[in-house]
Amino acid sequence: MVNDSPRKKVLVFRELPPDQLARLQAQHDVSVANPREPEQLAAFNAALGSAQGMIGASYPINEAVLACAPRLQVISSVSVGVDNYTLSALAARGIVLCYTPGVLTETTADTIFALVMATSRRLVELANHVREGHWSRNIGEELFGWDVHGKTLGLLGFGRIGQAVARRAALGFGMPVLYHSRHPVNLATAAPDLLGKAVHTPFDDLLQRADIVAAVLPLSNETRGLMGPREFGLMKAGAIFINGARGAIVQEAALLQALNQGGLRAAGLDVFATEPLPMGSPLRRHPRVTALPHIGSATFETRHAMAELATTNLLQALAGERPLAVFDTSAGLSPAPLAGQRDGPVTG
Ligand code: NAP
């Protein structure tokens, strides 16, 4: 793909594990500068001018950033979500975008299912009940949870992670699964173990029938604000909403309204429109919200596997080879951070 001089200028814009950094340093001239750290922003901006390759995550690479990177040939994102990158600008410049599909699928599905369990069985609330010294007698109905097994799960998105969540639900917990995506999945070939257990369902129908709705689809112009007042209004009284995708898929004011005045039982959120979640956000302390700090893929094993794949992608691209995982920037997802949003979403 990219093959003129052997040693290239590489900008690492989010810390890499030492072994992966060493792989890059062995072959290229590497600068490390995380623009999310105010004291490193100047070094980031300075390195952009000569960078031929970039690797990192969690920072919006938009037209303004690209304008400062005239020599850039490849970006290797340590994430599967590509919503931090202005794809049309990358396509126009012929900049290759690599990403990390697959290696985080099972871990992210674990996180999403953990939120299903935590919200239904009120795990965080009840653990705090013990921790704070309130367990002085057997709990009564006011602290009872809601069964997970047998409930109907509605998945918004049924790709790698959606199907992995569906397996946990259908095969482990006997849950009927409804899913919504633009194209039905051929289960016979793509996921035979889910044949007869997961059903492609129109969006509104899914919202009306699912007991637990979980979002696992990319943020794009089509999905930004997907869950608003109308959509939460369609959900069953007493249903649960889980967001394991990207915060901006949800209109957070509408979610709060559904929790406070609608019939939503609880929400489990790994992602937020602005991250880190602002101190003043009502979602931070809401008694029926389980909020996580964007940990979908955050295990030692998986974060290392992501860094390794992203490093391999970058080395391959810089060597003029086809990387293992290239995102098709001409495919039409057109992400841009929300207006006024300082930071992009964190890795995942
Ligand atoms: P994937 O394999 O590409 O699956 C995406 C799914 O979303 C597909 O089923 C796709 O089907 C569907 N989809 C896309 N656009 C849609 C639309 N406009 N309406 C309805 N369905 C749509 O991706 P993945 O690996 O499962 O990852 C999914 C997303 O999870 C990522 O993009 C990322 O944002 C998020 N994620 C979050 C974390 C975290 O830390 N919380 C970690 C990893 C990933 P169709 O194309 O047929 O519509």
Side-chain angles (χ1 to χ4, degrees), residues 37-51:
E37 303 293 341
E39 69 282 2
Q40 296 183 37
L41 187 56
F44 172 80
N45 287 332
L48 271 182
S50 57

Side-chain angles (χ1 to χ4, degrees), residues 72-90:
L72 191 61
Q73 297 165 319
V74 53
I75 301 174
S76 184
S77 189
V78 194
S79 66
V80 70
V82 293
D83 44 288
N84 263 324
Y85 306 93
T86 305
L87 301 182
S88 55
L90 295 182

Side-chain angles (χ1 to χ4, degrees), residues 80 108 158-161 181-183 217-218 222-223 244 270 294 296 348:
V80 70
T108 307
F158 196 62
R160 290 170 290 257
I161 301 170
S181 58
R182 291 165 301 181
H183 318 93
L217 74 187
E222 275 180 49
T223 62
D270 185 41
H294 201 143

Side-chain angles (χ1 to χ4, degrees), residues 145-208:
W146 205 42
D147 278 338
V148 173
H149 61 270
K151 291 289 186 326
T152 297
L153 176 66
L155 289 168
L156 304 177
F158 196 62
R160 290 170 290 257
I161 301 170
Q163 290 172 33
V165 175
R167 278 189 190 94
R168 285 155 177 74
L171 309 181
F173 286 75
M175 300 170 79
V177 175
L178 313 175
Y179 75 88
H180 168 71
S181 58
R182 291 165 301 181
H183 318 93
V185 172
N186 182 345
L187 292 176
T189 52
D193 50 349
L194 292 173
L195 259 179
K197 297 180 161 42
V199 180
H200 189 244
T201 307
F203 182 52
D204 285 6
D205 200 17
L206 179 152
L207 294 177
Q208 286 166 326

